[in-house]
Amino acid sequence: MKVTRRTGSLVIVLVIFAAIVLGTALAAIAIDKSEIPMLQQHAAEAAGEEYVHGANIGRTPSGTYVNSASAFRTAVNNNQDINLTGSFTISSPNIRSMADYSATIYGNGHTITFDLPTISGTNNSTEDYSGSNYYYCGLLVGTLCGRIYDLNVELTGGSFKTGLHTSGGSKLNTFGLVGRLYTNGNNHGTIENVSVTLNSGVGIRLYSWANSVRTGLGLVAGLAEGGAIIRNVTVENNGTLESGYTTDASSASDIVYNDNGNVELRSASNVVGYFDSWSHTSGTITLDNIIVKGNGQLNGREACNLGTSESGNTINVGTFYN
């Protein structure tokens, strides 16, 4: 009887233990796809290898099939979900200013290459928003409250510049892959599992002709507002980023970063030009698992890896590798 009872207890204990182990295993299988790049990164590090974000991690994409520059622009203009089926190059890109994109770009591990032209003097890519307080310009989209997943972006070409070529009106001038990353209702602007590479010899210059205008230049986003999410992102800067004020747009040597004008910000950053979690859309800005590398230059009054923020902003920074 005693043996029987003990055996029964052991069986019960084993059953309970098996259930716990099985439950743990099942829980381990149900991994959020946002965690996969970090797990892959840790596995690569353990093996002594280098890991770069932007790979296809097996999401289930939807939307318009896109494998060319023209198809990409059409889908963005129509605010459609984009399902990349191949890599392509956008030559002499048309900078997207103020355009709002709330859909999803599924990169599926493919690469969009921007071949930036060398620009000197006043030019068509330099726009005048003298009637607006804010000028958000981006290579992919101007303003994003949607999502960008599993994408590689490579910036090649020459010395590119954009900005405001009159002194009136604008208070904030930003530039990046996305000009402004923000939240609209329940839509949190999200950039996740993305790699951005600025090649050697390539320069990006953001400027204004008014020393009272703030300029925020970031390779990922020019401006990140409350609720924005940047997660599992690698930035490799081997070029030059410049942000400031100029009186002569045709002369690269004329740009000023540290004058005493009435300006709050002249930021050049590898990730985000400017953080603002309170004035437009409130909430915490999230940065997690960010890798910054390369030997590029940052020229601005505020030159930084992650970005510049005024007091009062709430930013939740997870792991950061430099």
Side-chain angles (χ1 to χ4, degrees):
M1 294 294 293
K2 291 183 179 179
V3 173
T4 303
R5 282 198 296 270
R6 287 176 182 173
T7 303
S9 299
L10 180 62
V11 170
I12 293 172
V13 170
L14 288 176
V15 169
I16 294 174
F17 177 75
I20 292 173
V21 171
L22 182 58
T24 303
L26 291 175
I29 293 172
I31 297 175
D32 188 318
K33 282 187 167 55
S34 67
E35 299 177 5
I36 292 176
M38 184 175 286
L39 296 174
Q40 292 173 329
Q41 178 184 330
H42 291 168
E45 290 169 349
E49 301 171 350
E50 183 179 25
Y51 178 77
V52 178
H53 297 116
N56 186 352
I57 63 171
R59 295 185 206 271
T60 303
S62 62
T64 302
Y65 294 113
V66 169
N67 62 4
S68 69
S70 59
F72 178 79
R73 285 299 178 219
T74 298
V76 169
N77 289 338
N78 293 329
N79 198 32
Q80 297 173 325
D81 286 344
I82 294 173
N83 182 358
L84 290 193
T85 59
S87 301
F88 54 87
T89 297
I90 298 178
S91 300
S92 299
N94 176 25
I95 301 304
R96 297 193 53 82
S97 57
M98 310 301 288
D100 195 4
Y101 184 78
S102 59
T104 301
I105 297 173
Y106 295 95
N108 301 316
H110 296 297
T111 300
I112 297 178
T113 300
F114 288 95
D115 187 13
L116 302 176
T118 294
I119 295 177
S120 60
T122 304
N123 56 83
N124 292 331
S125 291
T126 303
E127 301 186 42
D128 174 12
Y129 273 80
S130 59
S132 172
N133 286 331
Y134 305 99
Y135 171 48
Y136 312 116
C137 50
L139 290 168
L140 290 172
V141 296
T143 65
L144 176 69
C145 61
R147 295 146 299 277
I148 299 175
Y149 293 140
D150 314 331
L151 178 66
N152 302 284
V153 177
E154 184 174 4
L155 306 179
T156 66
S159 179
F160 182 79
K161 68 178 177 126
T162 189
L164 298 168
H165 60 74
T166 70
S167 60
S170 184
K171 296 178 181 177
L172 178 61
N173 183 20
T174 68
F175 181 85
L177 291 184
V178 173
R180 176 195 183 204
L181 187 65
Y182 76 109
T183 298
N184 186 359
N186 293 323
N187 293 327
H188 293 265
T190 301
I191 298 176
E192 183 177 296
N193 191 33
V194 170
S195 74
V196 185
T197 303
L198 181 67
N199 286 352
S200 177
V202 181
I204 298 176
R205 183 157 59 105
L206 176 69
Y207 69 91
S208 71
W209 274 23
N211 65 2
S212 61
V213 173
R214 296 169 291 168
T215 53
L217 171 60
L219 275 178
V220 178
L223 169 68
E225 294 186 2
I229 299 171
I230 300 176
R231 179 189 293 125
N232 300 326
V233 169
T234 293
V235 173
E236 182 170 359
N237 176 8
N238 294 309
T240 303
L241 300 178
E242 299 179 284
S243 175
Y245 153 68
T246 183
T247 57
D248 182 4
S250 65
S251 174
S253 62
D254 183 66
I255 194 166
V256 178
Y257 315 111
N258 296 305
D259 75 308
N260 294 321
N262 180 27
V263 67
E264 300 175 9
L265 176 77
R266 292 203 183 98
S267 172
S269 167
N270 284 317
V271 183
V272 175
Y274 180 48
F275 295 107
D276 183 354
S277 68
W278 56 271
S279 64
H280 293 106
T281 52
S282 61
T284 299
I285 300 168
T286 300
L287 281 80
D288 190 25
N289 197 25
I290 309 297
I291 301 173
V292 174
K293 55 185 180 178
N295 57 0
Q297 286 186 296
L298 298 172
N299 296 329
R301 193 176 71 179
E302 298 85 14
C304 43
N305 269 321
L306 287 179
T308 299
S309 171
E310 296 181 69
S311 61
N313 291 315
T314 305
I315 305 169
N316 181 17
V317 179
T319 51
F320 168 61
Y321 306 86
N322 182 25

